[in-house]
Amino acid sequence: MRSLKVIEIVLISLFLSVFNSYSQDLQGDLNLSEEQKELLNTQKELIKKHRKEFKETLSEKQLTILKDKSLTKKERQNALKSTLNSFQKRIIKQNKISVKNVKAKFRATLTPKQRQQLKRRIGNKKKTIKKNIKKNLNREKRRRIRN
């Protein structure tokens, strides 16, 4: 049960970071309409607002966990996850739902050509992300072996 929650937090943070970069890249290549650009900008602002609201709810202990550089990113996420209260968990859940809704609205406005370009681009980004994850895991292994 606990590992599912940890995985959920990791996926949410990964989703938000990938989706944020995804929305930034969209405006360049896809010849978006003004409505689509406005949806993306609204989405970016919504994500920023949610992050700010969540950060405001963090306690001193949670902030200390986030700033602890002796832990790996995953260890910090796990430690933070174990300290979240029900209100903070509810905020994360609501954020996830609202981002999902905005994303669905944006997808509804895409032309078939834009969809095809996005699928191709997202496939390339997933490959890059997997490579980066493998690099980071190997780097952590080497670091731990040295210590």
Side-chain angles (χ1 to χ4, degrees):
M1 182 69 174
R2 191 172 201 133
S3 63
L4 289 175
K5 290 181 180 180
V6 171
I7 291 171
E8 182 180 322
I9 290 293
V10 170
L11 289 176
I12 288 171
S13 60
L14 179 64
F15 171 76
L16 289 176
S17 64
V18 169
F19 195 69
N20 193 20
S21 64
Y22 158 81
S23 63
Q24 289 174 356
D25 288 344
L26 284 179
Q27 293 185 3
D29 298 346
L30 296 179
N31 299 324
L32 298 176
S33 69
E34 289 302 316
E35 176 190 3
Q36 290 171 327
K37 288 178 184 178
E38 184 60 35
L39 278 173
L40 286 178
N41 289 333
T42 303
Q43 181 181 25
K44 282 185 213 177
E45 293 304 316
L46 182 66
I47 290 171
K48 286 179 186 177
K49 178 183 164 206
H50 290 312
R51 283 184 187 157
K52 184 179 178 188
E53 287 174 357
F54 181 72
K55 284 181 182 178
E56 289 173 355
T57 67
L58 294 176
S59 68
E60 288 299 320
K61 180 182 176 185
Q62 291 169 328
L63 291 171
T64 305
I65 290 171
L66 288 176
K67 293 176 184 175
D68 186 359
K69 297 296 181 185
S70 67
L71 301 173
T72 64
K73 184 177 181 180
K74 187 164 185 111
E75 290 169 340
R76 280 193 301 263
Q77 288 173 342
N78 291 341
L80 180 64
K81 176 64 178 159
S82 67
T83 64
L84 294 178
N85 60 38
S86 60
F87 177 70
Q88 290 169 327
K89 289 176 185 177
R90 194 172 344 113
I91 287 175
I92 291 171
K93 187 175 182 179
Q94 289 171 342
N95 293 350
K96 185 177 177 181
I97 291 169
S98 65
V99 168
K100 189 175 182 179
N101 290 339
V102 173
K103 188 175 178 180
K105 285 180 187 177
F106 176 75
R107 282 186 175 164
T109 66
L110 293 173
T111 66
K113 184 178 179 181
Q114 288 172 330
R115 287 179 196 270
Q116 186 179 27
Q117 288 173 329
L118 284 177
K119 282 183 184 180
R120 193 171 32 246
R121 184 180 295 154
I122 290 170
N124 292 338
K125 284 192 183 237
K126 284 183 181 178
K127 289 177 188 174
T128 304
I129 289 170
K130 285 180 182 179
K131 286 180 187 176
N132 289 340
I133 289 172
K134 286 181 182 179
K135 269 191 222 178
N136 290 338
L137 287 175
N138 289 334
R139 189 177 306 134
E140 286 298 319
K141 271 186 190 176
R142 287 191 303 268
R143 190 183 100 198
R144 288 183 182 171
I145 290 171
R146 283 186 222 140
N147 294 335

